[in-house]
mmCIF file of all heavy atoms in Angstrom:
data_model
loop_
_atom_site.group_PDB
_atom_site.id
_atom_site.type_symbol
_atom_site.label_atom_id
_atom_site.label_comp_id
_atom_site.label_asym_id
_atom_site.label_seq_id
_atom_site.Cartn_x
_atom_site.Cartn_y
_atom_site.Cartn_z
ATOM 1 N N ARG H 1 -2.624 10.940 -6.119
ATOM 2 C CA ARG H 1 -2.393 12.010 -5.142
ATOM 3 C C ARG H 1 -1.394 13.039 -5.643
ATOM 4 O O ARG H 1 -1.423 14.187 -5.223
ATOM 5 C CB ARG H 1 -1.867 11.436 -3.821
ATOM 6 C CG ARG H 1 -2.903 10.730 -2.999
ATOM 7 C CD ARG H 1 -2.389 10.419 -1.607
ATOM 8 N NE ARG H 1 -2.208 11.636 -0.847
ATOM 9 C CZ ARG H 1 -1.187 11.847 -0.013
ATOM 10 N NH1 ARG H 1 -0.279 10.936 0.163
ATOM 11 N NH2 ARG H 1 -1.087 12.979 0.641
ATOM 12 N N GLY H 2 -0.454 12.598 -6.474
ATOM 13 C CA GLY H 2 0.583 13.504 -6.959
ATOM 14 C C GLY H 2 1.774 13.599 -6.029
ATOM 15 O O GLY H 2 2.681 14.394 -6.271
ATOM 16 N N VAL H 3 1.774 12.817 -4.959
ATOM 17 C CA VAL H 3 2.893 12.776 -4.012
ATOM 18 C C VAL H 3 3.073 11.342 -3.525
ATOM 19 O O VAL H 3 2.177 10.514 -3.676
ATOM 20 C CB VAL H 3 2.671 13.698 -2.782
ATOM 21 C CG1 VAL H 3 2.626 15.155 -3.177
ATOM 22 C CG2 VAL H 3 1.418 13.325 -2.032
ATOM 23 N N SER H 4 4.212 11.072 -2.906
ATOM 24 C CA SER H 4 4.467 9.735 -2.381
ATOM 25 C C SER H 4 3.510 9.420 -1.231
ATOM 26 O O SER H 4 3.268 10.253 -0.364
ATOM 27 C CB SER H 4 5.908 9.633 -1.875
ATOM 28 O OG SER H 4 6.122 8.373 -1.273
ATOM 29 N N SER H 5 2.972 8.209 -1.245
ATOM 30 C CA SER H 5 1.996 7.802 -0.233
ATOM 31 C C SER H 5 2.483 6.657 0.634
ATOM 32 O O SER H 5 1.715 6.121 1.427
ATOM 33 C CB SER H 5 0.693 7.381 -0.927
ATOM 34 O OG SER H 5 0.204 8.419 -1.717
ATOM 35 N N SER H 6 3.740 6.271 0.500
ATOM 36 C CA SER H 6 4.210 5.080 1.217
ATOM 37 C C SER H 6 4.080 5.249 2.731
ATOM 38 O O SER H 6 3.643 4.319 3.416
ATOM 39 C CB SER H 6 5.648 4.734 0.827
ATOM 40 O OG SER H 6 6.513 5.795 1.087
ATOM 41 N N GLN H 7 4.422 6.420 3.251
ATOM 42 C CA GLN H 7 4.312 6.638 4.697
ATOM 43 C C GLN H 7 2.852 6.609 5.145
ATOM 44 O O GLN H 7 2.517 6.018 6.170
ATOM 45 C CB GLN H 7 4.968 7.957 5.083
ATOM 46 C CG GLN H 7 5.014 8.176 6.575
ATOM 47 C CD GLN H 7 5.720 9.469 6.949
ATOM 48 O OE1 GLN H 7 6.160 10.223 6.114
ATOM 49 N NE2 GLN H 7 5.803 9.728 8.237
ATOM 50 N N MET H 8 1.970 7.237 4.372
ATOM 51 C CA MET H 8 0.550 7.247 4.727
ATOM 52 C C MET H 8 -0.025 5.838 4.701
ATOM 53 O O MET H 8 -0.792 5.464 5.586
ATOM 54 C CB MET H 8 -0.244 8.113 3.732
ATOM 55 C CG MET H 8 -0.233 9.574 4.024
ATOM 56 S SD MET H 8 -0.830 9.932 5.666
ATOM 57 C CE MET H 8 0.535 10.857 6.277
ATOM 58 N N ILE H 9 0.339 5.070 3.700
ATOM 59 C CA ILE H 9 -0.176 3.703 3.611
ATOM 60 C C ILE H 9 0.322 2.878 4.789
ATOM 61 O O ILE H 9 -0.438 2.128 5.389
ATOM 62 C CB ILE H 9 0.191 3.057 2.256
ATOM 63 C CG1 ILE H 9 -0.610 3.751 1.142
ATOM 64 C CG2 ILE H 9 -0.086 1.561 2.264
ATOM 65 C CD1 ILE H 9 -0.262 3.321 -0.267
ATOM 66 N N ARG H 10 1.598 3.053 5.165
ATOM 67 C CA ARG H 10 2.126 2.350 6.345
ATOM 68 C C ARG H 10 1.327 2.702 7.596
ATOM 69 O O ARG H 10 0.999 1.839 8.401
ATOM 70 C CB ARG H 10 3.606 2.682 6.555
ATOM 71 C CG ARG H 10 4.547 1.832 5.738
ATOM 72 C CD ARG H 10 5.980 1.926 6.247
ATOM 73 N NE ARG H 10 6.497 3.273 6.262
ATOM 74 C CZ ARG H 10 7.156 3.836 5.255
ATOM 75 N NH1 ARG H 10 7.362 3.181 4.142
ATOM 76 N NH2 ARG H 10 7.610 5.069 5.347
ATOM 77 N N LYS H 11 1.007 3.990 7.764
ATOM 78 C CA LYS H 11 0.225 4.416 8.928
ATOM 79 C C LYS H 11 -1.170 3.808 8.908
ATOM 80 O O LYS H 11 -1.684 3.368 9.935
ATOM 81 C CB LYS H 11 0.124 5.949 8.976
ATOM 82 C CG LYS H 11 1.380 6.628 9.433
ATOM 83 C CD LYS H 11 1.187 8.127 9.500
ATOM 84 C CE LYS H 11 2.452 8.811 9.958
ATOM 85 N NZ LYS H 11 2.301 10.262 10.050
ATOM 86 N N LEU H 12 -1.785 3.792 7.728
ATOM 87 C CA LEU H 12 -3.139 3.237 7.615
ATOM 88 C C LEU H 12 -3.145 1.728 7.855
ATOM 89 O O LEU H 12 -4.084 1.206 8.445
ATOM 90 C CB LEU H 12 -3.735 3.579 6.252
ATOM 91 C CG LEU H 12 -4.029 5.071 6.030
ATOM 92 C CD1 LEU H 12 -4.369 5.343 4.564
ATOM 93 C CD2 LEU H 12 -5.147 5.558 6.942
ATOM 94 N N VAL H 13 -2.092 1.047 7.423
ATOM 95 C CA VAL H 13 -1.967 -0.388 7.706
ATOM 96 C C VAL H 13 -1.793 -0.587 9.209
ATOM 97 O O VAL H 13 -2.447 -1.444 9.812
ATOM 98 C CB VAL H 13 -0.782 -1.013 6.921
ATOM 99 C CG1 VAL H 13 -0.459 -2.409 7.436
ATOM 100 C CG2 VAL H 13 -1.095 -1.063 5.435
ATOM 101 N N ALA H 14 -0.944 0.230 9.838
ATOM 102 C CA ALA H 14 -0.703 0.121 11.283
ATOM 103 C C ALA H 14 -1.975 0.391 12.087
ATOM 104 O O ALA H 14 -2.209 -0.237 13.116
ATOM 105 C CB ALA H 14 0.399 1.090 11.710
ATOM 106 N N LYS H 15 -2.811 1.307 11.602
ATOM 107 C CA LYS H 15 -4.067 1.613 12.292
ATOM 108 C C LYS H 15 -5.142 0.562 12.014
ATOM 109 O O LYS H 15 -6.189 0.556 12.645
ATOM 110 C CB LYS H 15 -4.585 2.994 11.880
ATOM 111 C CG LYS H 15 -3.791 4.143 12.467
ATOM 112 C CD LYS H 15 -4.381 5.465 12.033
ATOM 113 C CE LYS H 15 -3.608 6.640 12.571
ATOM 114 N NZ LYS H 15 -3.788 6.864 13.998
ATOM 115 N N GLY H 16 -4.891 -0.310 11.048
ATOM 116 C CA GLY H 16 -5.838 -1.378 10.746
ATOM 117 C C GLY H 16 -6.913 -0.994 9.743
ATOM 118 O O GLY H 16 -7.864 -1.734 9.532
ATOM 119 N N PHE H 17 -6.768 0.167 9.081
ATOM 120 C CA PHE H 17 -7.760 0.615 8.105
ATOM 121 C C PHE H 17 -7.506 0.051 6.704
ATOM 122 O O PHE H 17 -8.397 0.011 5.872
ATOM 123 C CB PHE H 17 -7.803 2.140 8.013
ATOM 124 C CG PHE H 17 -8.339 2.796 9.254
ATOM 125 C CD1 PHE H 17 -7.832 4.002 9.698
ATOM 126 C CD2 PHE H 17 -9.360 2.211 9.991
ATOM 127 C CE1 PHE H 17 -8.326 4.613 10.838
ATOM 128 C CE2 PHE H 17 -9.866 2.815 11.131
ATOM 129 C CZ PHE H 17 -9.341 4.011 11.555
ATOM 130 N N VAL H 18 -6.264 -0.326 6.437
ATOM 131 C CA VAL H 18 -5.857 -0.821 5.126
ATOM 132 C C VAL H 18 -5.048 -2.091 5.330
ATOM 133 O O VAL H 18 -4.348 -2.228 6.335
ATOM 134 C CB VAL H 18 -5.011 0.254 4.386
ATOM 135 C CG1 VAL H 18 -4.397 -0.285 3.119
ATOM 136 C CG2 VAL H 18 -5.854 1.485 4.087
ATOM 137 N N LYS H 19 -5.159 -3.017 4.372
ATOM 138 C CA LYS H 19 -4.386 -4.263 4.451
ATOM 139 C C LYS H 19 -3.885 -4.639 3.063
ATOM 140 O O LYS H 19 -4.396 -4.156 2.049
ATOM 141 C CB LYS H 19 -5.234 -5.389 5.023
ATOM 142 C CG LYS H 19 -6.382 -5.809 4.117
ATOM 143 C CD LYS H 19 -7.183 -6.936 4.711
ATOM 144 C CE LYS H 19 -8.334 -7.309 3.763
ATOM 145 N NZ LYS H 19 -9.155 -8.380 4.291
ATOM 146 N N GLU H 20 -2.879 -5.501 3.056
ATOM 147 C CA GLU H 20 -2.380 -6.035 1.799
ATOM 148 C C GLU H 20 -3.415 -7.014 1.258
ATOM 149 O O GLU H 20 -3.983 -7.797 2.007
ATOM 150 C CB GLU H 20 -1.046 -6.740 2.004
ATOM 151 C CG GLU H 20 0.085 -5.782 2.341
ATOM 152 C CD GLU H 20 1.436 -6.468 2.467
ATOM 153 O OE1 GLU H 20 1.570 -7.644 2.046
ATOM 154 O OE2 GLU H 20 2.357 -5.820 2.982
ATOM 155 N N ALA H 21 -3.631 -6.955 -0.061
ATOM 156 C CA ALA H 21 -4.647 -7.798 -0.686
ATOM 157 C C ALA H 21 -4.057 -8.588 -1.844
ATOM 158 O O ALA H 21 -4.692 -8.768 -2.871
ATOM 159 C CB ALA H 21 -5.801 -6.930 -1.163
ATOM 160 N N GLY H 22 -2.822 -9.017 -1.697
ATOM 161 C CA GLY H 22 -2.175 -9.792 -2.743
ATOM 162 C C GLY H 22 -1.215 -8.960 -3.561
ATOM 163 O O GLY H 22 -0.784 -7.892 -3.137
ATOM 164 N N ARG H 23 -0.906 -9.478 -4.752
ATOM 165 C CA ARG H 23 0.051 -8.824 -5.640
ATOM 166 C C ARG H 23 -0.595 -8.523 -6.988
ATOM 167 O O ARG H 23 -1.388 -9.306 -7.489
ATOM 168 C CB ARG H 23 1.263 -9.730 -5.876
ATOM 169 C CG ARG H 23 2.075 -10.008 -4.636
ATOM 170 C CD ARG H 23 3.129 -8.994 -4.509
ATOM 171 N NE ARG H 23 3.960 -9.232 -3.324
ATOM 172 C CZ ARG H 23 4.967 -8.452 -3.026
ATOM 173 N NH1 ARG H 23 5.262 -7.429 -3.794
ATOM 174 N NH2 ARG H 23 5.677 -8.669 -1.952
ATOM 175 N N SER H 24 -0.236 -7.395 -7.565
ATOM 176 C CA SER H 24 -0.718 -7.010 -8.879
ATOM 177 C C SER H 24 -0.004 -7.834 -9.949
ATOM 178 O O SER H 24 1.084 -8.340 -9.718
ATOM 179 C CB SER H 24 -0.446 -5.523 -9.102
ATOM 180 O OG SER H 24 -0.677 -5.166 -10.440
ATOM 181 N N GLU H 25 -0.606 -7.926 -11.117
ATOM 182 C CA GLU H 25 0.022 -8.600 -12.255
ATOM 183 C C GLU H 25 0.961 -7.647 -12.998
ATOM 184 O O GLU H 25 1.612 -8.042 -13.957
ATOM 185 C CB GLU H 25 -1.046 -9.143 -13.210
ATOM 186 C CG GLU H 25 -1.902 -10.246 -12.612
ATOM 187 C CD GLU H 25 -1.094 -11.455 -12.162
ATOM 188 O OE1 GLU H 25 -0.181 -11.876 -12.896
ATOM 189 O OE2 GLU H 25 -1.371 -11.969 -11.063
ATOM 190 N N MET H 26 1.043 -6.388 -12.553
ATOM 191 C CA MET H 26 1.912 -5.404 -13.197
ATOM 192 C C MET H 26 3.369 -5.811 -13.033
ATOM 193 O O MET H 26 3.698 -6.634 -12.183
ATOM 194 C CB MET H 26 1.692 -4.008 -12.582
ATOM 195 C CG MET H 26 0.346 -3.437 -12.882
ATOM 196 S SD MET H 26 -0.087 -1.859 -12.074
ATOM 197 C CE MET H 26 1.383 -1.216 -11.398
ATOM 198 N N LEU H 27 4.242 -5.202 -13.826
ATOM 199 C CA LEU H 27 5.669 -5.465 -13.767
ATOM 200 C C LEU H 27 6.185 -5.246 -12.348
ATOM 201 O O LEU H 27 5.897 -4.230 -11.719
ATOM 202 C CB LEU H 27 6.404 -4.535 -14.741
ATOM 203 C CG LEU H 27 7.888 -4.766 -14.901
ATOM 204 C CD1 LEU H 27 8.141 -6.145 -15.520
ATOM 205 C CD2 LEU H 27 8.493 -3.694 -15.781
ATOM 206 N N GLY H 28 6.924 -6.195 -11.819
ATOM 207 C CA GLY H 28 7.436 -6.101 -10.457
ATOM 208 C C GLY H 28 6.483 -6.647 -9.419
ATOM 209 O O GLY H 28 6.815 -6.728 -8.246
ATOM 210 N N ARG H 29 5.265 -6.976 -9.831
ATOM 211 C CA ARG H 29 4.230 -7.524 -8.950
ATOM 212 C C ARG H 29 4.108 -6.742 -7.632
ATOM 213 O O ARG H 29 4.296 -7.274 -6.550
ATOM 214 C CB ARG H 29 4.491 -8.997 -8.690
ATOM 215 C CG ARG H 29 4.502 -9.777 -9.996
ATOM 216 C CD ARG H 29 4.237 -11.236 -9.962
ATOM 217 N NE ARG H 29 3.509 -11.822 -8.886
ATOM 218 C CZ ARG H 29 2.194 -12.027 -8.866
ATOM 219 N NH1 ARG H 29 1.452 -11.653 -9.867
ATOM 220 N NH2 ARG H 29 1.617 -12.614 -7.854
ATOM 221 N N PRO H 30 3.756 -5.439 -7.730
ATOM 222 C CA PRO H 30 3.622 -4.632 -6.511
ATOM 223 C C PRO H 30 2.448 -5.095 -5.642
ATOM 224 O O PRO H 30 1.510 -5.727 -6.128
ATOM 225 C CB PRO H 30 3.391 -3.215 -7.036
ATOM 226 C CG PRO H 30 2.829 -3.406 -8.400
ATOM 227 C CD PRO H 30 3.428 -4.675 -8.935
ATOM 228 N N ILE H 31 2.514 -4.738 -4.380
ATOM 229 C CA ILE H 31 1.480 -5.097 -3.406
ATOM 230 C C ILE H 31 0.195 -4.328 -3.716
ATOM 231 O O ILE H 31 0.228 -3.140 -4.031
ATOM 232 C CB ILE H 31 1.949 -4.768 -1.975
ATOM 233 C CG1 ILE H 31 3.178 -5.590 -1.623
ATOM 234 C CG2 ILE H 31 0.834 -4.991 -0.966
ATOM 235 C CD1 ILE H 31 3.868 -5.150 -0.337
ATOM 236 N N LEU H 32 -0.925 -5.019 -3.614
ATOM 237 C CA LEU H 32 -2.242 -4.397 -3.740
ATOM 238 C C LEU H 32 -2.774 -4.097 -2.340
ATOM 239 O O LEU H 32 -2.556 -4.884 -1.414
ATOM 240 C CB LEU H 32 -3.208 -5.337 -4.458
ATOM 241 C CG LEU H 32 -2.971 -5.557 -5.945
ATOM 242 C CD1 LEU H 32 -3.784 -6.736 -6.446
ATOM 243 C CD2 LEU H 32 -3.312 -4.296 -6.736
#
């Protein structure tokens, strides 16, 4: 996107359109 998406992802999770799907194998093991 070229911009921070943390707020948008939080909104989409709250609306039930997006969910956590585990952790990535990348450094820091970020949420998928």
Side-chain angles (χ1 to χ4, degrees):
R1 286 191 68 219
V3 295
S4 175
S5 303
S6 58
Q7 186 178 1
M8 277 304 125
I9 291 174
R10 276 196 302 269
K11 285 182 180 181
L12 292 169
V13 168
K15 287 181 181 287
F17 292 144
V18 172
K19 67 179 179 181
E20 291 183 14
R23 296 269 181 179
S24 169
E25 294 301 317
M26 292 174 13
L27 186 64
R29 301 202 23 93
I31 297 169
L32 289 167

